[in-house]
């Protein structure tokens, strides 16, 4: 299946390029007044020997929302904006985070289910009615959002109130959501950024904290309708909710509508939760996640931070972090991108939170410079602690933050969010109106004080997701190294020496061939024709692969009558046709085709000069797999993952060179089934760069007497 996957991977990018759409949005915002004192200065009076001193901070005149509270406790904030005839309603629940345990994911599932059906409407009816008014409606575990033209406000609120107050939680929709969730989780298992996100949360908070839990296929499969209904009944209450109304509506009309549609919503007691405060490590530790096919390492330097929302340090620490890694001209970007060319981008974040905040600095770098890049990260973390920043840089950053804040005020929803935050987090009434003033008051001394308080290079987790055989040796200088799997569980890796005592690479291949059906059956295959179908961005793809012994192949990728790609190899030479452009295969591709065009390439690896190395063990789903590095005479390397229990191949990965550049490609093989005594995977989940696709086998035929003319390259 390797050749067909190659062409399907290329098709991922060809289809993506073909179906790219350009959309535009209509700005329905107004710009709140931002005024600043000014003084006329004659150009002749300027002293050009010194940079100009900054003027006074802008004084923000924030519009104040109209507010009222229903008897059931629902707090409502109304921001009038009559520029366009549109109105938006945003309902937000103020809840403590919840530990979901062995059913992690049930809370988000409950939120999705709310819009999948009500007591009087099916999902299809809800979708149709929203479409009829040209509106939008979405639900989540923490709220509901809806918007439409003003003339459809009553209809919109009827729908919004229905999904909020009367969801029916249909069982069939739960199964669809679980299937969709699991499909996404399966794709993310090979995404280094998703892996880093999972492990980062575990390191910072632990799996028993709501911020450290990981949703897995196992936890999703345990979710029941009762779990979702229980969450809704216990937590969706008006007395812990805020409703922001923004747009072409006045307060009287808003009050009347909210009372009509949400006045019957019954209040109730909502549980509160407290959690043990996570702490940074006593000394810096290295967490390493092995991803053998990686040509880049995803680096995160991270730890929890005690920084509450609304703390006076929040503004000053934001300025400090923006200098460190919060913008394109930050210290980290200048060092790792501009000076050393280790990465396209490096940055950091310092976040506040009502429970526990966090610091994170991150970049993706080439394997060979992983340890050097981490060294430079630590250099910058220490520098901002130990060296005062330049006044000119500080002022530049303050201007940058001021500009971003001012642009955020262009959206009227910002004003509503500010008002809700002031109430929700018990902030001073002037917290946002004086925000820019506090930004401008931050001094060089403040920046260094914040760095010394919140930047902890000696108490951090250095998380690296990458190819350990190439990067592990250089990481011990930063602290003790602990290996983790993709779910954040620590383990001790099995060395290549220990594995070699357990099984040899050839034995892994022999077990695979036996699991497929045995040598007797496999060696009798003269030709094989396989058809797969997949869907991407609305296009239905058909992928046909024909192979004939000893090493002829024919592959096409089509969408209807449109042929994206075709490759033919006659055993010694070949051609490739991409969107009508024909070119012969180069020497490297010919060498690869000699191997990969075999009916079962693994049967003759030893005769073809393919070398094998057993590099380790890796868990895929619930199965442990042997990882083989497969090196072809062309120089191409790939990694194959064989189940220890069944012997079947569960995954392949490699770095693929395409007209669009080099990308990591992987494919997972699932749902093996028997055809004429031989096992074939029915499903292939392909990931290439940011693109993912699932392909299903629709037919397999063997020994049908495919003529040699099928493989003509003329």
């Amino acid at each position: 299946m390797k050749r067909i996957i190659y062409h399907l991977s290329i098709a991922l990018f060809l289809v993506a390029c073909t179906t790219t759409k350009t959309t535009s949005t209509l700005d329905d915002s107004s710009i709140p007044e931002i005024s600043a004192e000014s003084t006329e200065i004659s150009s002749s009076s300027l002293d050009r020997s010194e940079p100009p001193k900054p003027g006074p901070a802008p004084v923000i005149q924030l519009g104040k929302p109209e507010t009222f509270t229903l008897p059931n406790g629902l707090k409502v904030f109304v921001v009038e904006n009559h520029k366009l005839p549109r109105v938006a309603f945003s309902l937000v629940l103020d809840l403590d985070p919840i530990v979901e345990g062995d059913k992690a994911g049930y809370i988000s599932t409950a939120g999705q289910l709310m819009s999948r059906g009500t007591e009087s409407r099916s999902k299809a009816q809800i979708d149709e009615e929203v479409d009829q008014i040209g509106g939008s409606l979405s639900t989540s575990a923490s709220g509901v959002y809806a918007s439409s033209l003003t003339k459809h406000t009553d209809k919109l609120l009827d729908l919004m109130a229905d999904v909020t107050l009367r969801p029916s939680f249909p069982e069939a929709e739960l199964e669809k959501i679980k299937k969709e969730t699991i499909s996404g989780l399966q794709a993310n298992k090979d995404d280094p950024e998703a892996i880093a996100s999972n492990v980062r949360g575990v390191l910072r908070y632990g799996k028993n904290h709501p911020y450290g839990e990981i949703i897995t296929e196992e936890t999703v499969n345990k979710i029941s309708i009762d779990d979702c209904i229980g969450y809704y009944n216990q937590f969706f209450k008006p007395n812990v909710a805020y409703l922001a109304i923004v747009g072409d509506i006045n307060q009287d009309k808003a009050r009347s509508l909210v009372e009509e549609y949400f006045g019957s919503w019954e209040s109730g007691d909502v549980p509160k939760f407290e959690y043990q405060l996570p702490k940074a490590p006593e000394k810096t530790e290295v967490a390493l996640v092995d991803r053998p096919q990686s040509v880049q390492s995803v680096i995160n330097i991270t730890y929890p931070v005690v920084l509450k929302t609304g703390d006076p340090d929040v503004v000053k620490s934001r300025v400090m972090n923006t200098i460190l890694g919060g913008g394109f001209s930050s210290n980290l970007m200048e060092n790792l991108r501009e000076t050393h060319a280790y990465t396209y981008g490096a940055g950091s974040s310092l976040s506040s939170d009502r429970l526990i905040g966090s610091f994170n600095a991150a970049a993706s770098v080439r394997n060979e410079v992983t340890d050097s890049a981490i060294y430079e990260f630590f250099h910058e973390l220490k520098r901002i602690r130990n060296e005062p920043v330049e006044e000119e840089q500080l002022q530049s950053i303050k201007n940058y933050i001021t500009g971003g804040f001012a642009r955020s005020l262009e959206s009227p929803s910002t004003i509503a969010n500010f008002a809700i935050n002031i109430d929700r987090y018990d902030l001073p009434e002037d917290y946002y109106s004086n925000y820019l003033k506090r930004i401008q008051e931050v001094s060089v001394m403040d920046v260094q004080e914040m760095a010394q308080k919140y930047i902890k290079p000696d108490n951090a987790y250095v998380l690296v997701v990458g190819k350990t055989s190439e990067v592990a040796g250089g990481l011990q200088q930063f602290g003790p190294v602990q290996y983790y799997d993709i779910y954040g569980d620590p383990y001790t890796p099995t060395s290549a020496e220990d594995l070699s005592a357990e099984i040899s690479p050839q034995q892994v291949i022999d077990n695979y061939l036996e699991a497929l059906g045995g040598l007797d059956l496999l060696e009798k295959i003269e030709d094989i024709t396989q058809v797969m179908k997949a869907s991407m961005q609305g296009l239905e793809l058909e992928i046909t692969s024909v192979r004939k012994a000893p090493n002829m192949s024919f592959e096409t990728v089509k969408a209807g009558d449109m042929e994206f790609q075709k490759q033919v190899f006659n055993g010694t030479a070949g051609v490739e046709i991409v969107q009508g452009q024909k070119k012969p295969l180069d020497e490297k591709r010919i060498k690869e085709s000699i191997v990969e065009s075999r009916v079962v390439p693994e049967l003759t690896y030893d005769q073809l000069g393919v070398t094998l190395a057993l590099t380790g063990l890796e868990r895929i789903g619930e199965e442990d797999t042997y990882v083989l590095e497969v090196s072809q005479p062309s120089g191409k390397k790939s990694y194959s993952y064989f189940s220890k229990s069944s012997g079947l191949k569960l995954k392949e990965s490699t770095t693929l060179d395409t007209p669009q550049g080099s990308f990591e490609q992987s494919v997972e093989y699932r749902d093996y089934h028997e055809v004429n005594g031989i096992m074939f995977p029915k499903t292939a989940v392909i990931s290439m760069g940011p693109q993912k696709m699932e392909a299903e086998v629709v037919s397999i035929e063997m020994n049908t007497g495919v003529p040699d003319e099928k493989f003509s390259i003329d």
Side-chain angles (χ1 to χ4, degrees):
M1 188 179 282
K2 184 177 292 186
R3 295 304 301 166
I4 195 170
I5 294 303
Y6 170 85
H7 294 289
L8 189 51
S9 298
I10 297 295
L12 278 168
F13 280 88
L14 295 176
V15 174
C17 294
T18 303
T19 59
T20 299
K21 297 180 180 179
T22 301
T23 59
S24 60
T25 58
L26 189 62
D27 182 8
D28 63 349
S29 62
S30 64
I31 303 176
E33 179 186 355
I34 302 178
S35 62
E37 297 180 20
S38 61
T39 305
E40 258 186 53
I41 302 177
S42 169
S43 60
S44 61
S45 67
L46 291 174
D47 179 1
R48 299 183 185 278
S49 64
E50 296 182 1
K53 295 181 180 179
V59 177
I60 305 172
Q61 303 297 332
L62 289 177
K64 189 172 183 180
E66 300 290 343
T67 66
F68 59 89
T69 303
L70 296 189
N72 60 13
L74 177 63
K75 296 180 180 180
V76 185
F77 297 78
V78 184
V79 178
E80 295 187 37
N81 183 276
H82 302 286
K83 186 177 180 181
L84 289 175
R86 295 193 65 85
V87 64
F89 299 82
S90 182
L91 181 75
V92 179
L93 300 182
D94 184 16
L95 303 173
D96 288 339
I98 301 167
V99 173
E100 300 176 77
D102 63 356
K103 297 183 179 182
Y106 82 87
I107 291 177
S108 62
T109 301
Q112 294 179 69
L113 270 174
M114 289 175 61
S115 61
R116 299 291 184 103
T118 68
E119 295 172 4
S120 60
R121 292 179 171 98
S122 66
K123 179 184 183 299
Q125 289 172 316
I126 294 171
D127 293 342
E128 181 180 359
E129 291 184 50
V130 172
D131 287 343
Q132 285 175 348
I133 63 174
S136 64
L137 176 67
S138 60
T139 60
S140 72
S142 59
V144 182
Y145 175 83
S147 68
S148 74
L149 293 172
T150 307
K151 65 181 180 180
H152 298 307
T153 300
D154 280 277
K155 181 63 175 179
L156 180 72
L157 280 179
D158 181 52
L159 288 162
M160 183 178 180
D162 203 24
V163 300
T164 304
L165 275 61
R166 294 173 290 276
S168 61
F169 297 97
E171 184 87 42
E173 292 298 326
L174 171 64
E175 294 309 312
K176 291 179 183 178
I177 291 173
K178 288 168 68 171
K179 184 177 180 181
E180 293 164 2
T181 303
I182 289 173
S183 178
L185 291 172
Q186 290 171 337
N188 283 342
K189 287 190 296 186
D190 201 47
D191 183 335
E193 295 290 349
I195 294 169
S197 177
N198 280 343
V199 180
R200 185 171 64 234
V202 174
L203 292 173
R204 285 201 298 234
Y205 311 112
K207 286 193 172 184
N208 294 324
H209 191 280
Y211 294 168
E213 287 189 303
I214 295 177
I215 299 174
T216 67
E217 296 170 49
E218 290 74 24
T219 65
V220 171
N221 280 322
K222 293 179 180 179
I223 297 172
S224 69
I225 281 292
D226 288 342
D227 298 322
C228 299
I229 294 174
Y231 171 78
Y232 170 81
N233 287 337
Q234 195 167 27
F235 294 98
F236 254 80
K237 302 296 182 184
N239 47 298
V240 293
Y242 296 90
L243 178 61
I245 306 174
V246 179
D248 185 26
I249 193 170
N250 59 48
Q251 184 190 14
D252 291 340
K253 179 65 172 177
R255 181 188 290 271
S256 174
L257 289 171
V258 173
E259 288 176 346
E260 177 183 354
Y261 288 102
F262 293 97
S264 63
W265 192 5
E266 295 184 2
S267 62
D269 294 333
V270 175
K272 305 288 287 183
F273 302 96
E274 293 184 0
Y275 302 98
Q276 187 173 357
L277 197 66
K279 295 181 180 180
E282 294 184 0
K283 60 180 180 179
T284 293
E285 302 175 10
V286 178
L288 187 52
V289 181
D290 188 19
R291 191 169 179 271
Q293 71 271 30
S294 287
V295 296
Q296 285 191 322
S297 296
V298 175
I299 298 170
N300 284 254
I301 298 175
T302 192
Y303 48 88
V305 168
V306 180
L307 183 60
K308 300 285 187 178
T309 305
D311 189 293
D313 283 353
V314 168
V315 171
K316 292 184 287 186
S317 65
R318 179 182 178 186
V319 175
M320 180 275 297
N321 180 71
T322 307
I323 294 171
L324 173 63
F328 195 79
S329 60
S330 69
N331 295 353
L332 287 173
M333 187 72 84
E334 287 291 327
N335 184 323
L336 279 87
R337 175 188 166 100
E338 301 301 331
T339 302
H340 290 96
Y342 289 156
T343 180
Y344 287 110
S348 64
S349 63
L350 179 61
S351 62
S352 60
D353 185 86
R354 66 196 301 179
L355 287 187
I356 182 72
S358 64
F359 173 81
N360 193 66
S364 294
V365 306
R366 305 185 309 277
N367 287 351
E368 60 268 25
V369 299
T370 299
D371 55 346
S372 299
I374 295 172
Y375 178 88
E376 295 303 330
F377 266 111
F378 278 112
H379 170 75
E380 294 300 339
L381 297 185
K382 294 173 182 177
R383 183 162 75 97
I384 200 167
R385 284 174 52 90
N386 300 330
E387 299 178 15
V389 300
E390 296 290 337
E391 184 68 50
E392 185 177 357
Q393 182 186 21
L394 173 59
Q395 188 58 48
S396 175
I397 290 298
K398 290 194 286 190
N399 293 342
Y400 168 77
I401 295 173
T402 297
F405 185 81
R407 286 190 295 274
S408 75
L409 299 179
E410 296 175 6
S411 171
S413 62
T414 299
I415 299 171
N417 291 334
F418 284 172
I420 289 174
N421 286 345
I422 287 171
D423 188 273
R424 186 177 183 182
Y425 300 114
D426 195 26
L427 303 177
E429 286 291 331
D430 64 354
Y431 184 83
Y432 292 104
S433 60
N434 284 331
Y435 187 81
L436 294 185
K437 179 182 177 182
R438 293 198 301 275
I439 290 289
Q440 291 299 332
E441 290 173 348
V442 176
S443 67
V444 169
M445 186 178 298
D446 291 331
V447 171
Q448 191 166 13
E449 178 188 351
M450 291 298 97
Q452 291 174 350
K453 187 172 182 179
Y454 296 109
I455 303 303
K456 303 290 186 183
D458 296 327
N459 306 96
Y461 294 104
V462 180
L463 169 61
V464 178
V465 179
K467 186 175 181 179
T468 61
S469 61
E470 294 186 3
V471 306
L475 299 181
Q476 296 180 358
Q477 60 183 300
F478 305 110
V481 178
Q482 172 64 61
Y483 283 77
Y484 290 85
D485 64 19
I486 63 174
Y487 301 112
D489 292 320
Y491 72 94
T492 301
T494 303
S495 67
E497 291 77 12
D498 293 337
L499 274 180
S500 63
E502 178 180 322
I503 193 170
S504 70
Q506 187 57 49
Q507 284 177 305
V508 174
I509 294 297
D510 292 343
N511 291 344
Y512 169 59
L513 297 174
E514 185 63 30
L516 288 180
L519 294 180
D520 288 343
L521 284 178
L522 296 175
E523 289 174 345
K524 291 177 182 177
I525 302 176
E526 294 294 329
D527 61 69
I528 181 169
T529 301
Q530 181 170 279
V531 179
M532 303 179 76
K533 290 194 174 180
S535 177
M536 182 182 178
Q537 297 186 5
L539 289 179
E540 296 298 321
L541 301 180
E542 181 178 274
I543 310 96
T544 301
S545 170
V546 183
R547 283 170 289 167
K548 181 176 181 179
N551 60 354
M552 292 185 284
S553 63
F554 171 96
E555 285 99 8
T556 62
V557 180
K558 293 182 177 181
D561 294 331
M562 182 188 300
E563 185 176 77
F564 284 104
Q565 187 168 21
K566 177 180 178 180
Q567 181 172 306
V568 182
F569 184 70
N570 64 13
T572 57
V575 295
E576 183 176 47
I577 304 171
V578 180
Q579 293 183 318
Q581 300 297 313
K582 181 178 180 180
K583 65 176 183 179
L585 299 184
D586 59 25
E587 183 179 354
K588 182 174 185 294
R589 292 284 299 281
I590 288 174
K591 288 182 178 180
E592 292 171 3
S593 295
I594 289 173
V595 176
E596 295 170 0
S597 293
R598 300 272 170 164
V599 176
V600 183
E602 289 83 2
L603 275 173
T604 52
Y605 269 172
D606 55 343
Q607 302 170 27
L608 297 171
V610 176
T611 60
L612 305 171
L614 191 57
T615 64
L617 290 172
E618 186 168 320
R619 194 165 182 80
I620 296 179
E622 297 182 353
E623 295 204 53
D624 290 326
T625 64
Y626 293 114
V627 184
L628 283 190
E629 182 181 75
V630 182
S631 301
Q632 297 186 26
S634 66
K636 179 180 179 180
K637 285 187 178 182
S638 62
Y639 294 86
S640 296
Y641 302 72
F642 298 90
S643 168
K644 286 187 69 175
S645 58
S646 70
L648 293 170
K649 185 188 297 183
L650 303 185
K651 177 180 169 183
E652 284 183 300
S653 64
T654 189
T655 299
L656 194 64
D657 294 322
T658 76
Q660 291 77 22
S662 296
F663 300 91
E664 292 182 19
Q665 173 217 297
S666 70
V667 54
E668 286 195 40
Y669 301 114
R670 301 177 186 162
D671 308 323
Y672 274 87
H673 66 298
E674 183 181 320
V675 178
N676 298 337
I678 297 174
M679 301 297 290
F680 291 90
K682 189 173 183 179
T683 305
V685 180
I686 306 107
S687 301
M688 183 175 176
Q691 304 292 337
K692 293 180 172 62
M693 180 162 49
E694 184 170 305
E696 296 287 338
V697 175
V698 295
S699 68
I700 295 175
E701 295 180 315
M702 289 179 281
N703 297 334
T704 59
V706 177
D708 289 353
E709 289 75 18
K710 182 76 172 178
F711 310 97
S712 171
I713 63 174
D714 296 330

